[in-house]
Amino acid sequence: MRILLAGSTGVIGRRLEPILIDQGHEVIGLARNGPVPVDVLDRDAVAAAVRDARPDVVMHQLTSLSTGDLVANARLRRDGTRNLVDAALAAGVRRIVAQSIAWAYEPGAKPATEETPLDLGAAEPRQTSVAGVAALESAVQEAPEWVVLRYGTLYGPGTWYARDGLMAQFAAAGKIPADADVSSLLHIDDAVAAAVAALEWPAGAVNVCDDEPAASSQWVPAFCAAAGVPAPAPAVTVGERHGWARGASNHYARKHLGWIPTYPSWREGFATL
C-alpha cells in the first residue's frame, strides 16, 4: 500500500518506516523536518501534501513532546489531527491509524477497558490533555475505517523513559513520585509492532500496553535502577491513588486481535534501557 506516515521523524515513526518498507509498502514520510516537510497545523499545506501523496492509508504518529509542553501537544492532537483527517477524507483515504493514550479514562477501581469513557470532566491541567485526546479520536472516527491505538506510557530508547530521557533527568533530581498512582507501560518496540498490525485490525480503539499495570511505588524504583539514577525516598510513597490513575487492560488486543507484547512486563522491558 501507499502509506502516508505523519510523524515520520518521531520516536515511533522513525522505527516504523523501515519496517513498513521491508513489508513492501511505499511510505511517504510527513513531518515538520521530514522528507515531506509540513507543519501539520498549516491546514493548506497538509491538504496539498496528502493530495499529492495519494495514500491508501494515513498513519498518524504525530506528537509534540520533546520539550514536555502538554498544551502544545494537545493543540497538535486537536488542530493537527483535524487538518490531517480533513485532508485524508478529501483525498479519498479509507483507513486512518492514529496514536492515542491509555491514561485518559475516567476514574475507576480497575484497569480501564476500551469501553470505559474518557475523563471528559477532569480538572486542569489534566483536562487539556484529555480534551486533546477526545478531539483526536472523534476526528479519526470520521474515516470509513479507523484504528485508535491507546498506547501505555512509552519507555525505551528515544522516549522520555530512557537512560538519557527527560524522566531519567527528573528522577535524578527527585521529581518523580513513587506513589500509589497506577500506570500501564509499553516498550517502544511493542508500540511499533502494534502500529504495523493495526493496518489489518478491525475498526475501533485498542489499549496497547503491557500485561502488568503497576503503582509508581513499584515501577519507578525499578526504572531508576535501570536508568542508573537514585531511587526516590520511601517518604514520597505516602498517599491515595488518583481515581483516574488506574492503568488499562490489554485483554482485547491479546484475545481478539492476537497482539502479544514482546515485553509483557516492564520488569523485563526495563532491562533493555
Side-chain angles (χ1 to χ4, degrees):
M1 294 182 290
R2 287 176 60 84
I3 299 174
L4 180 73
L5 177 56
S8 61
T9 60
V11 65
I12 291 178
R14 62 178 179 263
R15 290 168 170 78
L16 182 56
E17 183 170 2
I19 295 174
L20 295 173
I21 292 172
D22 286 347
Q23 292 189 350
H25 302 297
E26 182 178 357
V27 180
I28 302 96
L30 182 152
R32 185 188 295 270
N33 298 310
V36 179
V38 172
D39 181 349
V40 74
L41 298 178
D42 184 334
R43 185 174 179 83
D44 292 340
V46 173
V50 177
R51 182 179 62 248
D52 293 346
R54 298 176 291 106
D56 302 303
V57 178
V58 167
M59 300 195 78
H60 177 353
Q61 295 286 351
L62 290 158
T63 59
S64 179
L65 291 171
S66 60
T67 63
D69 187 341
L70 298 182
V71 173
N73 196 48
R75 183 187 179 207
L76 184 147
R77 284 176 171 150
R78 182 186 67 243
D79 299 339
T81 301
R82 182 73 268 166
N83 294 340
L84 189 62
V85 169
D86 286 348
L89 296 179
V93 174
R94 291 195 55 80
R95 173 166 287 249
I96 300 177
V97 176
Q99 175 187 151
S100 186
I101 58 174
W103 61 93
Y105 290 113
E106 69 179 17
K110 298 180 180 180
T113 70
E114 289 81 358
E115 287 71 39
T116 303
L118 298 181
D119 192 12
L120 300 177
E124 292 291 4
R126 176 171 166 78
Q127 171 62 30
T128 293
S129 294
V130 175
V133 166
L136 178 152
E137 295 193 2
S138 177
V140 168
Q141 291 175 32
E142 296 173 18
E145 302 172 11
W146 59 274
V147 178
V148 167
L149 301 169
R150 291 176 175 166
Y151 288 141
T153 299
L154 296 176
Y155 67 90
T159 71
W160 279 6
Y161 289 93
R163 289 187 67 89
D164 58 350
L166 183 64
M167 291 302 170
Q169 298 173 33
F170 283 0
K175 295 181 179 179
I176 298 184
D179 56 23
D181 283 355
V182 173
S183 299
S184 284
L185 286 82
L186 180 69
H187 193 284
I188 186 66
D189 291 345
D190 285 324
V192 171
V196 174
L199 290 172
E200 299 180 356
W201 282 353
V206 184
N207 287 339
V208 182
C209 51
D210 73 16
D211 300 349
E212 190 179 356
S216 297
S217 58
Q218 293 179 285
W219 71 262
V220 167
F223 166 71
C224 291
V229 299
V236 299
T237 64
V238 177
E240 295 294 324
R241 173 177 72 84
H242 289 92
W244 51 263
R246 59 192 292 182
S249 168
N250 67 10
H251 175 78
Y252 173 71
R254 269 186 165 275
K255 182 174 181 179
H256 299 284
L257 300 177
W259 176 79
I260 307 295
T262 299
Y263 301 99
S265 169
W266 45 270
R267 298 178 191 275
E268 297 103 346
F270 284 170
T272 69
L273 297 182

